[in-house]
Amino acid sequence: MGIEMAELKDKIQQYATRLGDDSLVLGHRISEWTSHGPFLEEDIALGNVALDYVGRARMFYTYAAELAGEGKTEDDFAYLRDEREFQNYLINELPRGDFAFTIVRQLFVDVYFNYYLTELKKSKDSELAAIATKSLKETRYHLRRSRDWTIRLGIGTEESKTRMTKALNDLWGYTHELFEPDELEIELIAQGIAVDMREFKTNWLSDIQAIVKEAELEMPDAEWAVRGGREGFHTEHLSMLLTIMQSVHRANPGANW
C-alpha cells in the first residue's frame, strides 16, 4: 500500500525542512566572511552567495510551514528549534576556517547541489520542483566561482597549495553522508518526490577529481567518515552557531521589523 496522504504530507514537510536546514546553516557560515574577505570584490561576492542560501532556506521553510499548518511561519523553523531538531549535513556547520577551507567546502557542495537540484526539478511535488528551478540558476554561478578559485589557489603559491591540500583532507570525510539516504528519503524517492543522490555519486566524484587535477592538487586518500546530521547528531559547532543566529529572535519573540 502507498503512503496515506496525511503521512505523505508530513514526510514532505520534514524533507523540505531539512533542505532548508542545509541552506540556512551554510548560508550563515558563508555570511561570516562579511567584512573579512580577502579583498573587497570577493567580500561582496561571498555576501551575495550567503544571501542566495538564506533565500533558498526561506523558500523551503515557507513551504514546510504551509504543510505544517497551525499558523507556523518560516521563523518557527529557523529560530525556534534546538540543535537536535536540525537535520543539516555536518559539512555545512563546520566553522568558516580560512579562505581555502571555505572554497573547498563550496566546491564539494556546489558540485553536489548542481546535480541535486537538477534532479529535484523533476520532483512530482510541484513546489519543491519550483524551488529547485530557481535555486539551480544560483548554484551554477556558485559552482563557477568555487571551481575557478580552486584552480587559482591550487596553482598559486606554495602557501595557497598547502592550505588547499589541508582543506581537502580535513573536509573529505564529511562528504560521505551526502550520498546516504535515510528511511525518510528512501520512502520519498519511491514516491518520485525526493532525490536519490546515490545515482549521481559517481558523476560528482568524477567532477571533483577533474577539478582537483586541473588545480594540480591531490585527491584525499583518507577513509575516515563522519555522519549523523540527518539524525540530528551534530558537531559542537552547530549549537554555538544557533545561539548567535537565534539570539535576537529569542530575546524578542514575535517582534516585527
Side-chain angles (χ1 to χ4, degrees), residues 17-32:
T17 301
R18 62 173 50 173
L19 294 179
D21 292 346
D22 284 329
S23 299
L24 182 67
V25 171
L26 183 56
H28 184 88
R29 279 300 185 217
I30 302 170
S31 76
E32 293 174 348

Side-chain angles (χ1 to χ4, degrees), residues 28-47:
H28 184 88
R29 279 300 185 217
I30 302 170
S31 76
E32 293 174 348
W33 277 103
T34 303
S35 80
H36 297 286
F39 50 86
L40 179 60
E41 289 82 356
E42 186 57 25
D43 196 297
I44 295 171
L46 285 165

